Amino acid sequence: MSNRMRLTIKEPHIELYKDGFEGNCKLQREGTGKQLSQLVEDFDESLVIALDGAWGSGKSFFLKCWVGQHLQDHGAATQTVYFDAFQHDYLDDPLFALTLRVKEMLEKDGVASDADGSADKARRQKRKEAAIRLGKAALRVGAAIATFGATEHLGDLGDAAALAIKDEALNATNLESPEEEKFWKAQHARVKAMVEFKAALTLLTSPDEAGAPTQKLVIVIDELDRCRPDYALSLLEIIKHFFAVDGVHFVLGVNLKELQNSVKARYGAGVDAALYLQKFVTLGLRLGEPTNHDLPSDYLRYFSAIANEMGISHHNGTSIARDYLHLMQGSDVLSLRGLQKLARHIALTSTRLGNPHDGWGTDTTRYHPFLTIGLFILDSFKPEQLGKVRSRSEQWSEISSFFHLVVPESSSARGLHISTAWHLCYQQESDYHHWGELLGQTDYQNWTESYDRSVLRHLIETQVDQIQFYSS
């Protein structure tokens, strides 16, 4: 068995724009995908949807599956474009990088095939021509207007109104200074390029006689919260001022808390970052846990899948970890990346945890595996707490809140040994009698009073040192 274990799992290969959820998603998030698809298909007005999830929650994987799934389901009417913002944040001009990605995608395949396998050649050609026009307009806009050129001063004006103002200024003002004349001409050219850009973008949506879009363009912006703050916020400005066209939607894969930190990094800690972001985001969609905790959670399913892939599904530590995850269902600290780290910890300690069929060893060691796995979980999801646990500065209320521990209602309750192990380390002896009554153990108080708590504390200190060694 040990020869077949792994410390990592293979990253699933997703062929962008072709693969969907079927056969790829272990978390059964197809329902969330359908909800997102319904939003972008039901509304013509330009939407910016923030798909909010913590780092490591699987946003990128979900979005890569979704762009392919949406093309499969709605490709005749909608084109999706995937843009990894983090891969482009070394550039100064987000407008050019984003436009180039849209242009490349549309020129490559035009539009997706219709349901019967055919495609409208005229429609393909029209969108290719519009893509070329869009690229030329982006070049004309240039780096000066990309973020804080005309967008800073004219963003609140309608494009036609802004252009009219500049035309009037050029016609009515007697400019004596060549520098002033040069300035106004430059501003006029920038605003004109901005109007042309939005006109080209509108052409991509094939508007009908009433101006309503008959085609949709959905641009997925991934990894926005990992970008340097100035690039991330500049990209939001670009979306707001250049891409606000009916039929053009954005889906942002983002950790909104981290994006709020980017706002504060740029504008100061005193700014209301959440309120600031409301200027750019139409609505949020949370990528998280189901609300019905009677069902196995996404995270439990995923952990079982990776444990099987790593060859530790029958490991004692895996069983204990599942009990912890049952207790922690609905916790906002859980993440897919953290589950992978937890599984690696268990694989590395495969020979050091006892066998449940052996009664967990002696009274002195019976709770060691429960504490050990608990420390692994702390390191996987909240590593900054390990130091507090080792120094004994962590309070019982903090531990019980993190693991969602409760006083067991009976000796058969799930998580009984987990709760008892941590209780022994933290609770006062005055609590033992009440705890023992609930467990139905008449000698519980006598047993715990004779239990050497220092043994458990020493175990915690030793395990934390080993965990931090491996983590370093």
Side-chain angles (χ1 to χ4, degrees):
M1 175 68 72
S2 60
N3 292 333
R4 295 196 297 273
M5 287 197 303
R6 297 174 53 91
L7 290 180
T8 60
I9 63 170
K10 294 180 180 179
E11 289 292 331
H13 173 70
I14 299 297
E15 189 171 357
L16 203 56
Y17 303 111
K18 291 186 178 180
D19 292 339
F21 291 105
E22 187 176 355
N24 294 307
C25 184
K26 297 183 176 70
L27 298 175
Q28 300 180 7
R29 285 175 167 171
E30 295 89 337
T32 303
K34 290 181 179 179
Q35 183 180 0
L36 179 57
S37 291
Q38 185 174 358
L39 281 172
V40 299
E41 291 299 326
D42 285 353
F43 294 92
D44 286 343
E45 63 179 296
S46 183
L47 300 178
V48 179
I49 303 169
L51 184 72
D52 181 25
W55 284 349
S57 61
K59 295 188 300 296
S60 293
F61 182 81
F62 172 87
L63 289 171
K64 289 176 181 178
C65 290
W66 182 80
V67 295
Q69 188 67 52
H70 195 78
L71 279 177
Q72 292 176 24
D73 297 339
H74 304 277
T78 303
Q79 179 67 61
T80 60
V81 177
Y82 178 87
F83 179 78
D84 188 328
F86 185 57
Q87 287 186 352
H88 295 84
D89 82 338
Y90 66 92
L91 300 171
D92 293 328
D93 187 354
L95 174 63
F96 182 75
L98 180 57
T99 304
L100 181 62
R101 189 72 191 95
V102 173
K103 179 175 176 290
E104 288 175 343
M105 183 61 194
L106 293 173
E107 287 181 337
K108 180 180 179 181
D109 293 316
V111 294
S113 296
D114 295 320
D116 61 359
S118 65
D120 186 340
K121 292 182 179 180
R123 188 172 57 194
R124 283 180 179 272
Q125 185 61 31
K126 186 176 181 180
R127 295 193 74 172
K128 286 183 179 181
E129 292 173 356
I132 295 172
R133 180 176 171 182
L134 186 68
K136 290 180 178 179
L139 288 174
R140 289 197 59 191
V141 171
I145 197 175
T147 305
F148 294 110
T151 58
E152 182 181 34
H153 304 292
L154 304 175
D156 294 331
L157 295 173
D159 296 328
L163 188 58
I165 290 172
K166 293 306 179 188
D167 282 331
E168 184 66 22
L170 286 173
N171 294 330
T173 305
N174 182 17
L175 298 174
E176 297 180 357
S177 168
E179 292 184 358
E180 289 179 350
E181 183 177 4
K182 183 179 179 180
F183 169 79
W184 283 114
K185 285 183 177 180
Q187 293 300 316
H188 180 269
R190 290 171 180 171
V191 178
K192 184 176 181 180
M194 186 177 181
V195 172
E196 290 180 358
F197 182 90
K198 298 187 81 168
L201 192 63
T202 301
L203 185 60
L204 284 173
T205 67
S206 300
D208 59 20
E209 294 181 356
T214 62
Q215 298 286 310
K216 297 285 182 67
L217 175 64
V218 182
I219 304 174
V220 172
I221 307 289
D222 198 10
E223 303 283 18
L224 184 62
D225 49 2
R226 294 186 181 275
C227 297
R228 66 179 196 269
D230 62 321
Y231 187 87
L233 299 183
S234 295
L235 187 51
L236 288 177
E237 291 278 358
I238 291 299
I239 293 171
K240 176 179 174 63
H241 295 306
F242 286 86
F243 287 86
V245 170
D246 285 351
V248 178
H249 300 311
F250 280 83
V251 177
L252 312 178
V254 67
N255 182 337
L256 283 178
K257 289 183 179 179
E258 296 300 329
L259 192 59
Q260 289 172 15
N261 290 335
S262 293
V263 174
K264 293 178 180 179
R266 186 168 189 175
Y267 297 112
V271 69
D272 189 335
L275 183 62
Y276 174 85
L277 290 176
Q278 287 180 10
K279 296 194 305 179
F280 306 100
V281 177
T282 311
L283 57 94
L285 185 64
R286 179 73 180 173
L287 187 66
E289 286 285 85
T291 56
N292 186 351
H293 292 168
D294 293 330
L295 300 175
S297 72
D298 286 349
Y299 294 123
L300 270 169
R301 285 192 293 267
Y302 182 75
F303 181 71
S304 295
I306 62 175
N308 184 63
E309 183 175 340
M310 294 173 66
I312 58 171
S313 58
H314 299 294
H315 189 282
N316 176 43
T318 303
S319 176
I320 298 174
R322 288 194 185 99
D323 283 345
Y324 269 104
L325 294 175
H326 270 286
L327 291 175
M328 297 174 70
Q329 283 196 92
S331 173
D332 59 4
V333 304
L334 298 180
S335 70
L336 305 188
R337 195 168 292 122
L339 292 175
Q340 295 175 16
K341 187 175 183 180
L342 172 60
R344 284 198 298 273
H345 273 308
I346 294 172
L348 285 168
T349 58
S350 59
T351 61
R352 299 210 300 270
L353 295 178
N355 189 314
H357 301 295
D358 295 335
W360 303 108
T362 65
D363 285 345
T364 306
T365 61
R366 71 168 64 198
Y367 290 109
H368 287 194
F370 298 103
L371 292 175
T372 297
I373 298 299
L375 294 173
F376 290 168
I377 289 177
L378 273 171
D379 184 54
S380 300
F381 302 108
K382 202 172 184 180
E384 65 274 13
Q385 296 298 102
L386 279 178
K388 293 183 67 176
V389 171
R390 193 192 188 290
S391 64
R392 308 187 186 189
S393 60
E394 187 91 335
Q395 301 299 313
W396 165 254
S397 60
E398 296 174 279
I399 284 291
S400 61
S401 176
F402 177 81
F403 291 120
H404 292 197
L405 301 180
V406 293
V407 177
E409 298 177 356
S410 70
S411 58
S412 61
R414 179 184 289 275
L416 166 65
H417 289 91
I418 293 172
S419 297
T420 304
W422 288 104
H423 183 272
L424 285 170
C425 292
Y426 283 88
Q427 287 293 71
Q428 301 298 316
E429 292 182 0
S430 59
D431 296 322
Y432 289 161
H433 182 65
H434 176 62
W435 187 275
E437 287 180 339
L438 291 171
L439 296 178
Q441 299 173 0
T442 56
D443 61 341
Y444 183 82
Q445 183 176 10
N446 294 332
W447 183 82
T448 52
E449 287 174 350
S450 64
Y451 193 92
D452 189 352
R453 186 182 299 188
S454 64
V455 173
L456 291 179
R457 297 302 324 187
H458 177 70
L459 167 76
I460 288 177
E461 293 169 7
T462 302
Q463 288 290 1
V464 169
D465 289 342
Q466 289 185 3
I467 289 170
Q468 292 177 335
F469 172 79
Y470 280 117
S471 296
S472 64

